[in-house]
């Protein structure tokens, strides 16, 4: 039976001048003066604990710790090897080394690695001393110098957006070299687990269960099992998987040749429990166990989870003039993907815990996101991330780890890429949440915009598709994001990144001109909450805008032109509020446009859900977990049923979008609101419906029959149905041109209690007139997450808001405000 010995825990750690050797690898080297460090881990966190660097996230402190990237880092650990392992095969396994590593065991160099995404497995059988203490030493070369060493000089084809050109030659997370939302910070460390594995005869290297076909009440699975054998044996493979009352159990005899072998088996499952993306059905997961027996004895076992589901990428259908579409079918059902781009949740990657993942992913799920795009310049995340996505039904578009560059195409580099992709696909292919493998982020787009035409990188059009075809037939492959049509970012084919808004400085309403078949990137910056700003900016740098805002990746030159349509902020709180409203309206406009065109457009993934450090950028949830207004705008725009009006000339079309699997019927109410008085001056009701999983026009209004003064009047829509209600509004002039009358808000606390570590407050908000962008918050520096926020209120309407205040203790000061209402406060003491 295979035995596993974890080498996680406390190691010794120290830095040395780049290239300096004083025998740090030797077994008898004296490391008693080195610091203790956790593995898995990363060196910045260890230095912070000891006060050896300042907080790199505050002000411009990150510049002060660049020396960390310019020295070598050595790890050492003593470990005991029992005598009874003598005669077995023993392997040393590193799940992840960041990045430029050399490994010694008892003073003997055993391996090198230069890819943070590639596990390292080394046979150390003859390097160990049995019944004795052994030493493993790891040198992690200075990441900046090691990167430059690989890059060499410039060439005319050395192209990239963001960060140094040198990053293209290093198989290290590309965002760490600096991006347009995060400062350069190269991590160093043994960032994933380390262990010894010992076995006698044979071991399981991998097991993969995937769905070949679905029928009426049945599924056909295929199980792939890879075995490494030290001899030729007669063996048996047993497979058992359970989900609730659904049980799969099979055994097969196998002949094991010496070396590596793969064995494939087909299994018929009656009445399978299917896995579905969020909103389309339950997230059924099978707990599986594969056993390997030789001569009747259990040699190894592997446990994993998988889902029974099929995925199809549909790219042609009679839904657009050129028949080009881009949407997914899961289990034969068309699925509209609603969500965001995911970037690493922390520049200090040792802080990426299951709890951190859970907080963000559950917030996304509560925000009606059923999908995320794991962006190509980031990480291959830890297992907890993918496990949680499986459980929550968050579908993943998964880029491989390349972004915005012309990467090397020599055989050495492509060989490393091939091994990296093989490791990534093998590790993650059992996760049903992953719907798509994608070659990269914007590599081909960069080539086209740089004048090189439709360039097809070998890694994306030769290496990656071959790896996916060979190792993972359970999901499609797409060569790049974006890709398709006459140019890689063609709105009429494939997926599209719309940065005409923001980078191109076109108006927000131009989103409605986009014919995108799938919008996989779009976004707008916004400042975070004032209390968030106070955590990373000195008091004298909070306002006005200054160099530290720009250091934390706010771009006033592009933000201010969009702000002019909403107002003229003179103070910090006004600036924060208005930038968040601009972001919210931009996301709402793009998302609703995509959803109205369902399935001519197959999805909308905005940039971005999260932030890896405290900044004032595109994320809708800031580094500390505070949602911006944009998060709530997106949550409403992603709701299962929405009412969405759009102006077309002198007419307004009112769409109902229904993502449920049943027809929705209800009452559509159209109201004309006199913003100048805050009163409703006209109201009409009509019965309306939308078929399952569709978008339908429920009504058409002639503006000449409804609106006389667009600077004073707006249209408000509600759709009430048995499953709930949806609302929306439509301004017919620029927001700053509409004269909203001042109104008075009232708040009444309905409940205030403590739930675990959080306080939960339920507060009812009402208004004397039409309130625009009403919100509820707390003044204290706690993260408050509402079930809805930044909403409009009709005169006399009462809205109950549930506010969860993370980690709160003691009295809280509730505050409610709006675009056209002064804040009101109420002190509450949850118990």
């Amino acid at each position: 039976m295979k035995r596993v010995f974890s080498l996680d825990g406390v190691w010794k750690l120290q830095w040395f001048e780049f290239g300096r050797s004083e025998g740090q690898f030797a077994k008898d080297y004296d490391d008693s003066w080195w610091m203790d460090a956790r593995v898995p881990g990363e060196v910045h966190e260890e230095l912070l604990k000891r006060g050896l660097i300042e907080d790199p996230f505050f002000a411009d402190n990150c510049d002060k710790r660049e020396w960390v990237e310019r020295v070598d880092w050595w790890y050492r650990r003593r470990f005991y090897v029992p005598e009874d392992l003598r005669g077995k095969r023993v392997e040393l396994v590193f799940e992840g080394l960041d990045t430029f590593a050399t490994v010694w065991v008892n003073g003997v160099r055993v391996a090198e690695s230069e890819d943070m995404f590639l596990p390292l497995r080394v046979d150390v059988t003859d390097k160990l001393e049995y019944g004795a203490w052994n030493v493993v030493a790891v040198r992690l070369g200075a990441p900046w110098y090691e990167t430059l060493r690989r890059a060499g000089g410039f060439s005319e084809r050395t192209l990239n957006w963001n960060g140094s050109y040198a990053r293209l030659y290093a198989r290290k997370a590309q965002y760490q070299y600096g991006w347009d939302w995060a400062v350069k910070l190269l991590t160093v460390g043994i960032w994933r687990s380390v262990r010894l594995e010992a076995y006698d005869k044979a071991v399981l290297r991998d097991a993969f269960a995937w769905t070949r076909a679905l029928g009426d009440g049945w599924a056909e699975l295929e199980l792939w099992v890879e075995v490494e054998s030290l001899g030729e044996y007669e063996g048996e493979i047993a497979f058992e998987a359970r989900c609730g009352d659904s049980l799969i159990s099979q055994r097969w005899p196998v002949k094991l040749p010496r070396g590596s072998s793969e064995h494939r088996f087909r299994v018929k499952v009656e009445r399978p429990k299917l896995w579905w993306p969020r909103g389309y059905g339950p997230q059924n997961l099978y707990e599986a166990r594969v056993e390997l027996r030789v001569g009747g004895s259990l040699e190894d076992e592997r446990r994993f989870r998988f889902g029974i589901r099929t995925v199809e990428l549909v790219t042609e259908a009679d839904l657009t003039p050129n028949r080009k579409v881009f949407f997914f079918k899961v289990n034969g059902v068309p699925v509209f993907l609603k969500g965001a781009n995911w970037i690493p949740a922390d520049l200090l990657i040792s802080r990426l815990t299951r709890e951190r993942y859970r907080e963000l992913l559950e917030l996304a799920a509560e925000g009606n996101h059923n999908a995320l795009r794991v962006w190509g310049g980031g990480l291959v995340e830890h297992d907890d991330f993918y496990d949680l996505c499986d459980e929550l039904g968050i579908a993943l578009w998964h880029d491989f780890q390349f972004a915005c560059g012309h990467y090397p195409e020599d055989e050495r580099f492509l060989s490393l890429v091939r091994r990296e992709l093989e490791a990534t696909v093998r590790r993650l292919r059992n996760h049903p949440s992953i719907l798509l493998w994608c070659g990269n982020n914007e590599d081909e787009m960069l080539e086209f915009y740089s004048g090189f035409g439709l360039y097809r990188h070998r890694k994306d059009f030769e290496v990656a598709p071959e790896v996916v075809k060979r190792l993972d037939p359970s999901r499609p492959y797409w060569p790049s994001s974006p890709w398709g049509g006459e140019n890689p970012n063609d709105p009429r084919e494939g997926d599209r990144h719309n940065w005409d808004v923001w980078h191109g400085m076109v108006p927000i309403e131009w989103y409605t001109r986009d014919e995108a078949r799938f919008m996989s990137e779009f976004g707008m910056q916004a400042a975070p909450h004032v209390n968030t700003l106070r955590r990373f900016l000195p008091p004298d740098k909070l306002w006005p805008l200054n160099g530290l805002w720009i250091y934390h990746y706010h771009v006033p030159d592009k933000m201010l032109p969009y702000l002019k349509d909403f107002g003229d902020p003179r103070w910090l709180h006004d600036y924060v509020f208005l930038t968040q409203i601009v972001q919210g309206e931009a996301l709402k406009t793009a998302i609703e446009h995509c959803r109205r065109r369902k399935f001519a457009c197959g999805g909308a993934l905005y940039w971005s859900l999260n932030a890896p450090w405290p900044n004032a950028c595109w994320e809708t949830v800031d580094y500390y977990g505070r949602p911006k207004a944009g998060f709530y705008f997106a949550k409403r725009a992603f709701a299962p049923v929405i009412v969405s009006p759009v102006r077309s000339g002198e007419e307004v079309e009112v769409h109902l979008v229904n993502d449920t699997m049943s027809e929705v019927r209800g009452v559509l109410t159209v109201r004309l609101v006199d913003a100048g008085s805050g009163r409703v001056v006209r109201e009409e009701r009509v019965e309306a419906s939308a078929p399952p999983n569709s978008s339908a026009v429920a009504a058409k209004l002639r503006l000449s029959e409804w609106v006389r003064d667009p600077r004073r009047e707006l249209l408000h829509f509600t759709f009430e149905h048995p499953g709930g209600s949806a609302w929306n509004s439509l301004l017919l002039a620029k927001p700053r041109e509409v004269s909203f009358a001042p109104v008075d808000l009232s708040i009444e606390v309905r409940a205030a209690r403590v739930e675990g570590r959080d306080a939960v407050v339920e507060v009812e908000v009402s208004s004397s007139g039409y309130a625009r962008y009403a919100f509820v918050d707390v003044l204290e520096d706690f993260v408050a997450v509402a079930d809805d926020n930044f909403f409009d209120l009709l005169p006399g309407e009462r809205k109950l808001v549930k506010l969860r205040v993370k980690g709160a203790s003691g009295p809280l000061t509730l505050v409610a405000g709006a675009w056209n209402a002064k804040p009101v406060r109420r002190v509450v003491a949850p118990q």
Side-chain angles (χ1 to χ4, degrees), residues 256-533:
L256 302 178
R258 182 182 298 273
S260 179
S261 60
E262 186 179 67
H263 308 268
R264 300 183 178 186
F265 314 98
R266 293 192 182 182
V267 182
K268 186 75 172 287
V269 182
E270 301 293 338
R271 297 182 298 279
K273 294 184 179 293
L274 305 184
W275 183 93
W276 294 91
R278 191 173 192 84
Y280 288 82
Q283 289 73 55
N284 292 310
L285 293 168
Y286 281 78
E287 300 281 348
R289 183 176 75 251
V290 174
E291 294 181 348
L292 172 65
R293 294 180 180 272
V294 174
S297 298
L298 180 65
E299 291 296 319
D300 197 4
E301 69 173 16
R302 182 173 287 257
R303 297 173 183 267
F304 60 97
R305 296 194 305 186
F306 70 94
I308 297 179
R309 63 100 179 94
T310 59
V311 181
E312 177 188 358
L313 175 59
V314 181
T315 56
E316 291 190 355
D318 292 326
L319 295 171
T320 62
N322 66 354
R323 300 195 73 252
K324 299 297 184 182
V325 295
F326 195 104
F327 65 86
F328 294 88
K329 285 185 176 180
V330 177
N331 304 329
V333 175
V335 171
F336 188 95
L337 296 189
K338 306 176 294 188
N341 282 259
W342 172 274
I343 54 180
D346 209 303
L347 295 184
L348 300 181
I349 58 179
S350 57
R351 295 178 177 179
L352 296 175
T353 63
R354 184 178 182 86
E355 186 58 34
R356 186 75 172 275
Y357 284 136
R358 180 185 295 280
E359 180 179 285
L360 284 166
L361 293 173
E362 286 184 347
L363 189 58
E366 292 166 9
N368 295 319
H369 297 54
N370 69 6
L372 294 171
R373 172 176 171 241
V374 180
W375 171 74
L379 297 172
V380 181
E381 299 287 347
H382 295 300
D383 292 341
D384 287 332
F385 173 83
Y386 302 99
D387 290 341
L388 288 165
C389 287
D390 291 344
E391 295 166 11
L392 293 168
I394 296 177
L396 297 176
W397 170 310
H398 205 300
D399 289 356
F400 291 130
Q401 271 42 62
F402 306 89
C404 300
H406 179 88
Y407 286 83
E409 301 202 90
D410 59 277
E411 292 302 326
R412 178 187 177 279
F413 185 82
L414 293 179
S415 175
L416 179 60
V417 168
R418 181 177 290 105
R419 289 186 288 122
E420 175 189 317
L421 300 191
E422 288 173 345
T424 297
V425 171
R426 287 178 185 276
R427 177 182 153 222
L428 299 179
R429 60 187 175 175
N430 278 309
H431 289 281
S433 56
I434 299 175
L435 300 191
L436 177 83
W437 295 116
C438 179
N440 69 78
N441 172 78
E442 294 185 354
D443 288 354
E444 279 72 16
M445 177 178 163
L446 177 145
E447 297 279 0
F448 188 86
Y449 286 0
S450 300
F452 293 101
L454 285 177
Y455 189 84
R456 289 170 168 82
H457 285 257
R458 290 184 63 193
K459 64 179 173 56
D460 307 316
F461 288 85
E462 296 177 24
V463 177
E466 186 280 326
V467 168
V468 173
K469 182 179 180 180
R470 173 164 47 90
L471 296 181
D472 188 5
S474 72
R475 50 182 62 86
Y477 171 77
W478 192 248
S480 181
S481 181
W483 177 256
E486 296 178 0
N487 73 70
N489 204 25
D490 192 331
R492 297 176 298 262
E493 185 174 350
D495 73 307
R496 170 162 162 74
H497 294 185
N498 185 327
W499 287 108
D500 299 338
V501 178
W502 184 259
H503 287 304
M505 300 299 292
V506 304
I508 289 171
E509 56 267 25
W510 280 33
Y511 277 132
T512 61
R513 303 182 182 188
D514 199 322
E515 301 176 76
R517 294 346 188 206
F518 190 107
M519 204 181 293
S520 45
E521 277 193 25
F522 60 96
M524 176 67 64
Q525 286 198 355
H529 196 288
V530 171
N531 284 340
T532 288
L533 291 168

Side-chain angles (χ1 to χ4, degrees), residues 9-24:
V10 179
W11 289 52
K12 288 292 187 177
L13 172 68
Q14 188 55 47
W15 71 88
F16 294 86
E17 181 181 346
F18 178 58
R20 176 183 170 189
S21 176
E22 55 180 51
Q24 300 97 320

Side-chain angles (χ1 to χ4, degrees), residues 163-176:
S164 166
Y165 84 97
R167 67 174 174 81
L168 305 177
Y169 298 83
R171 293 312 304 139
K172 180 171 175 58
Q174 299 288 273
Y175 74 95
Q176 295 188 355

